[in-house]
């Protein structure tokens, strides 16, 4: 049968009005940086410059932290929970109203398919604000004592893979609990955080409650090391997480870290193959595999190995890679040249170590940063592609014979963020879930997120939980 041809269906970017340059958002206003440094943010799909963004230096961090401290002491922590809730509900509703604009902006700056930013990221952002708005006046019933107190000023540093969603994961619980926040988005994806700053203005949030500092790693370091911060929340690489843990260890700061992962997606012989294949694809090719909980290690029971691999290869050949703003696109651009270089390097190592590499026939755009969906078979547990986080659309396939072997292989990683189990037997799901050392275990699904559900890791995947009632603990003095 001839392959179905899709006509392009691009989402219009007219809904987004980009400014030529953006200042820092401090004390409720956009302001220039003290030392005048700036950098450009580009579209990873076309390398087009989208805007110039201010790089915050130590003096700016100081200004933002002071504004947050003042707002904490004089306004926000003194407001009753029901009043804080009103602001959070208002923010959630504005996010919904501006959803299309935010989705287009996210896909432009990050390179992710519009289908994902429109249907996953932005709805979840609104859902997080709605959810934590609901907690703001009920904190005494959350199980953290009769009158839980906020911590103070939170310094929050987020990565580039889910820019606005990670912002929501950080800011919504912080504000619900009565803290104020200074947040630094990633260098390559600052634009939706700056749009969020406008939303704070639109919602009449008191000045200083939320401050957004754009910049690179040094800005992040200055923020988490600032002595007047009470709480540090970080999502990103394990390496930077270690540096932050070391820097905060001798201080009174409370820290939560959400770091890397190398999740196992375990397919048993009785699993419905077509559904499992959809789950495998969603597990590793969603968001180009730029997902800390991605199912990057596929463990297939030996008896169904060739059936699963044949279906998987057939399914991969139907994925459409290209323009992130096209509503038909399944796989968008890699977020940066640096990340593309890392994915290429680790994939070359996979081949050099003896694994077999396969990608469907796939034309890559000439401009921008692209990597085809890739599968490695013949992978052993010792291979670097089975041990290290690639953070790209690259799947390593291993096999097992018994459930005990599956558990052993799944847990054979320094990480422990997530895992997936595919089987028809409920008893096997429970047996596996109680043995897998992972913060989240998905059964017959993968990469499902919900604001009511806690998320976080074991081992080198970090500590603390975000989301759900558990996510409140990180922002309360308990
Ligand atoms: P980083 O951990 O370097 O970046 C995460 C955030 O921390 C960014 O905002 C970054 O700023 C900031 N940052 C960098 N250095 C410091 C520091 N010393 N102190 C405080 N903040 C800092 O991740 P990368 O973007 O460099 O990605 C590298 C690798 O990390 C990826 O290839 C992937 O394997 C992994 N990763 C994992 C993520 C996860 O969710 N588990 C998310 C992102 C990456 P800036 O962006 O400006 O450098």
């Amino acid at each position: 049968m001839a392959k179905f041809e899709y006509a392009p269906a691009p989402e219009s970017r007219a809904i987004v009005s980009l400014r030529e340059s953006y200042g820092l958002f401090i004390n409720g206003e956009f302001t220039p940086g003290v030392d005048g440094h700036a950098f450009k943010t580009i579209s990873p799909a076309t390398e087009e410059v989208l805007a110039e963004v201010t790089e915050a230096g130590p003096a700016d961090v100081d200004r933002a932290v002071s504004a947050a401290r003042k707002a904490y002491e004089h306004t926000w922590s003194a407001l009753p929970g029901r009043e804080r809730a009103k602001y959070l509900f208002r923010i959630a509703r504005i996010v919904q109203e501006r959803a299309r604009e935010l989705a287009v902006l996210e896909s432009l700056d990050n390179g992710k398919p519009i289908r994902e930013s429109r249907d996953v990221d932005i709805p979840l952002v609104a859902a997080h604000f709605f959810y934590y708005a609901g907690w703001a006046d009920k904190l005494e019933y959350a199980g953290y004592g009769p009158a839980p107190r906020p911590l103070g000023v939170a310094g929050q540093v987020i990565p580039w893979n889910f820019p606005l969603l990670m912002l929501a994961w950080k800011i919504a619980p912080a504000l619900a609990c009565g803290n104020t926040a200074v947040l630094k988005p990633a260098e390559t994806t600052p634009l939706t955080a700056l749009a969020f700053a406008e939303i704070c203005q639109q919602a009449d949030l008191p000045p200083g409650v939320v401050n957004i500092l754009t910049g690179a790693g040094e800005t992040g370091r200055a923020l988490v090391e600032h002595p007047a911060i009470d709480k540090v929340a970080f999502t990103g690489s394990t390496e930077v997480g270690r540096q932050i843990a070391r820097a905060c260890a001798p201080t009174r700061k409370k820290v939560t870290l959400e770091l890397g992962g190398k999740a196992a997606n375990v397919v048993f012989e009785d699993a419905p193959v077509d559904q499992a294949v959809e789950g495998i694809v969603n597990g590793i090719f969603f968001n180009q595999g730029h997902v800390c909980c991605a199912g990057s290690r596929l463990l297939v029971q030996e008896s169904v190995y060739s059936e699963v691999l044949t279906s998987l290869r057939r399914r991969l050949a139907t994925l459409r890679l290209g323009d992130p703003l096209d509503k038909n696109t399944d796989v968008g651009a890699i977020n940066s040249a640096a990340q593309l270089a890392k994915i290429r390097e680790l994939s070359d190592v996979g081949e050099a170590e003896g694994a077999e590499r396969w990608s469907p026939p796939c034309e890559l755009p000439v401009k921008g940063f692209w990597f085809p969906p890739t599968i490695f078979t013949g992978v052993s547990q010792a291979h670097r592609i089975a041990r290290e986080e690639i953070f790209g659309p690259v799947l390593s396939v291993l096999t097992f014979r018994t459930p005990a072997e599956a558990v052993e292989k799944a847990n054979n990683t320094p990480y422990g963020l997530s895992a997936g189990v595919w089987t028809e037997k409920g008893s096997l799901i429970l047996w596996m879930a109680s043995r897998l050392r992972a913060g989240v275990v998905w059964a017959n699904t993968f990469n499902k997120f919900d604001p009511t559900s806690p998320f976080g890791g074991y081992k080198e995947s970090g500590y603390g939980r975000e989301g759900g009632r558990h996510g409140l603990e990180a922002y309360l003095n308990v």
Side-chain angles (χ1 to χ4, degrees), residues 76 83-100 102 121-135 164 167-168 171-173 175-176 195-196 198-205 210 451:
W76 198 246
E83 294 301 320
R84 294 197 305 272
K86 284 185 195 167
Y87 287 104
L88 292 175
F89 278 124
R90 205 179 289 170
I91 288 171
R93 282 195 302 268
I94 299 173
V95 167
Q96 285 186 321
E97 281 163 22
R98 295 179 61 170
R100 201 152 76 84
L102 293 170
D121 293 54
I122 307 303
L124 278 173
V125 170
H128 263 83
F129 279 99
F130 276 122
Y131 176 74
Y132 280 109
W135 269 118
L164 195 60
L167 174 149
I171 288 187
L175 265 51
F196 183 80
E198 289 170 10
I199 290 174
C200 292
Q201 288 180 324
Q202 216 179 327
D204 276 332
L205 192 71
V210 167

Side-chain angles (χ1 to χ4, degrees), residues 106-436:
E106 198 74 300
S107 283
L108 272 177
D109 204 18
N110 170 280
K112 65 173 68 200
I114 185 76
R115 210 161 44 83
E116 293 178 5
S117 47
R118 182 196 62 195
D119 298 347
V120 182
D121 293 54
I122 307 303
L124 278 173
V125 170
H128 263 83
F129 279 99
F130 276 122
Y131 176 74
Y132 280 109
W135 269 118
D137 63 347
K138 303 174 195 69
L139 295 174
E140 61 270 42
Y141 307 110
Y144 301 114
R149 296 281 310 143
L151 293 167
V153 177
Q156 307 177 315
V157 177
I158 57 170
W160 41 262
N161 52 343
F162 293 92
L164 195 60
L165 183 56
M166 289 301 106
L167 174 149
W169 281 29
K170 299 277 179 287
I171 288 187
L175 265 51
C177 293
N179 306 275
T180 56
V182 181
L183 177 134
K184 190 198 90 68
E187 184 182 2
T188 57
T189 53
L191 294 181
T192 45
L194 293 165
F196 183 80
E198 289 170 10
I199 290 174
C200 292
Q201 288 180 324
Q202 216 179 327
D204 276 332
L205 192 71
V209 173
V210 167
N211 304 272
I212 307 285
L213 293 181
T214 44
E218 276 313 303
T219 308
R221 186 203 301 272
L223 175 59
V224 299
E225 293 183 2
H226 195 285
I229 291 280
D230 303 292
K231 151 84 192 171
V232 171
F234 172 78
T235 297
S237 63
T238 297
E239 192 192 325
V240 173
R242 275 200 198 103
Q243 289 173 25
I244 292 175
R246 267 198 293 271
C248 294
T251 73
R252 65 186 166 79
K253 292 172 195 168
K254 199 167 162 177
V255 181
T256 41
L257 302 174
E258 201 262 274
L259 310 175
K262 192 74 192 173
N265 204 358
V266 184
V267 178
F268 285 97
E269 60 191 358
D270 63 341
V273 171
D274 288 349
Q275 284 170 37
V277 164
E278 286 309 306
I280 296 163
V281 169
N282 179 39
I284 185 65
F285 302 115
F286 169 65
N287 203 29
Q288 295 73 248
H290 299 330
V291 184
C292 46
C293 52
S296 52
R297 282 184 303 148
L298 173 63
L299 300 186
V300 192
Q301 198 153 15
E302 232 173 61
S303 47
V304 289
Y305 173 78
S306 36
E307 189 187 351
V308 170
L309 260 283
T310 306
S311 295
L312 185 58
R313 288 202 173 104
R314 198 184 313 127
R315 179 67 178 93
L316 250 60
T318 68
L319 291 180
R320 288 178 297 275
L321 176 146
D323 180 7
L325 287 184
D326 190 320
K327 284 168 259 182
N328 292 324
T329 294
D330 299 303
V331 181
I334 300 302
N335 181 250
S336 64
Q339 188 59 28
L340 179 59
K342 189 187 156 193
I343 298 169
R344 284 189 176 144
E345 184 203 323
L346 270 171
S347 300
D348 292 347
V349 168
E351 255 180 306
E353 287 186 333
E356 194 181 318
R357 176 179 185 157
W358 181 87
S359 293
C362 170
E363 208 176 302
L364 301 183
V366 183
K367 279 212 135 182
F369 316 125
W370 304 92
F371 197 85
T374 300
I375 299 179
F376 276 100
T377 49
V379 179
S380 91
Q381 294 187 85
H383 287 161
R384 275 181 67 192
I385 53 168
R387 292 185 284 124
E388 293 179 28
E389 186 176 48
I390 301 175
F391 224 63
V394 182
L395 178 67
S396 300
V397 185
L398 298 97
T399 58
F400 68 92
R401 290 183 184 169
T402 63
E405 188 186 345
V407 170
E408 194 147 318
K409 285 187 168 164
N411 287 341
N412 185 12
T413 165
Y415 297 112
L417 197 52
S418 67
V421 180
W422 296 83
T423 168
E424 282 201 335
K425 293 190 189 71
S427 57
L428 184 55
I429 290 169
L430 296 175
W431 190 89
M432 290 289 292
S434 65
R435 285 163 180 79
L436 291 169

Side-chain angles (χ1 to χ4, degrees), residues 1-7 317-318 320:
M1 197 174 72
K3 219 166 111 194
F4 199 178
E5 285 298 329
Y6 282 81
T318 68
R320 288 178 297 275

